[in-house]
Amino acid sequence: MRFFFVFLVLLQGLFLAALGFLPTDKIPYHENLPQDKILHSSGFLILTFSTFFIWDRPRRVHNVLLTAVPVGVLAFASEILQPVLSPTRAYDSHDIVANVIGTVIGLLLATVVDLLRERRYSRGEVQYEALEMA
């Protein structure tokens, strides 16, 4: 487990919780570009990306599952519980869609970064061995 990423996830979770309790009149909204949906997507993108790198499993599929399941549950539960916990907020199915979109993009981005990191590491290892043999 990588504790730096645990700290980032906790910090991001607190930030998202604070935004979740913010009164809706404080969040800018425009008909053509709803900023609250961008906030939802980007918040869950960052949360998912950071959560992916907490896990230190040898197979990438385990990291994906250990990330997708809890963040996916949070994406749904946060919107369902929001009106219960905050009287100024209401349930919006579009927010769930924005959360899921951010989660999927964050997971894809984290997987690509992990692949690139793995290739760079293994390529450096091969070059090191080649130099040692010469």
Side-chain angles (χ1 to χ4, degrees), residues 95-114:
D95 287 348
I96 293 176
V97 172
N99 293 351
V100 170
I101 288 171
T103 300
V104 169
I105 292 171
L107 200 54
L108 290 172
L109 187 63
T111 305
V112 168
V113 167
D114 194 44

Side-chain angles (χ1 to χ4, degrees), residues 18-127:
L19 284 177
F21 289 112
L22 195 66
T24 52
D25 60 342
K26 302 282 186 199
I27 300 173
Y29 186 83
H30 189 272
E31 293 297 323
N32 297 329
L33 182 66
Q35 286 89 345
D36 70 321
K37 304 307 181 244
I38 294 171
L39 280 173
H40 280 271
S41 293
S42 61
F44 272 87
L45 186 152
I46 294 167
L47 181 68
T48 304
F49 186 86
S50 300
T51 304
F52 181 87
F53 290 104
I54 287 176
W55 316 115
D56 202 10
R57 301 285 186 210
R59 296 186 63 198
R60 189 171 292 107
V61 70
H62 294 143
N63 292 344
V64 169
L65 288 174
L66 286 170
T67 301
V69 171
V71 175
V73 167
L74 183 64
F76 286 101
S78 65
E79 288 306 316
I80 292 170
L81 292 175
Q82 196 174 31
V84 174
L85 299 174
S86 177
T88 62
R89 301 302 295 252
Y91 170 81
D92 185 3
S93 61
H94 295 104
D95 287 348
I96 293 176
V97 172
N99 293 351
V100 170
I101 288 171
T103 300
V104 169
I105 292 171
L107 200 54
L108 290 172
L109 187 63
T111 305
V112 168
V113 167
D114 194 44
L115 274 169
L116 293 174
R117 183 188 58 82
E118 185 179 271
R119 283 187 182 166
R120 182 177 181 195
Y121 174 73
S122 64
R123 190 177 301 146
E125 188 175 279
V126 170
Q127 290 173 352

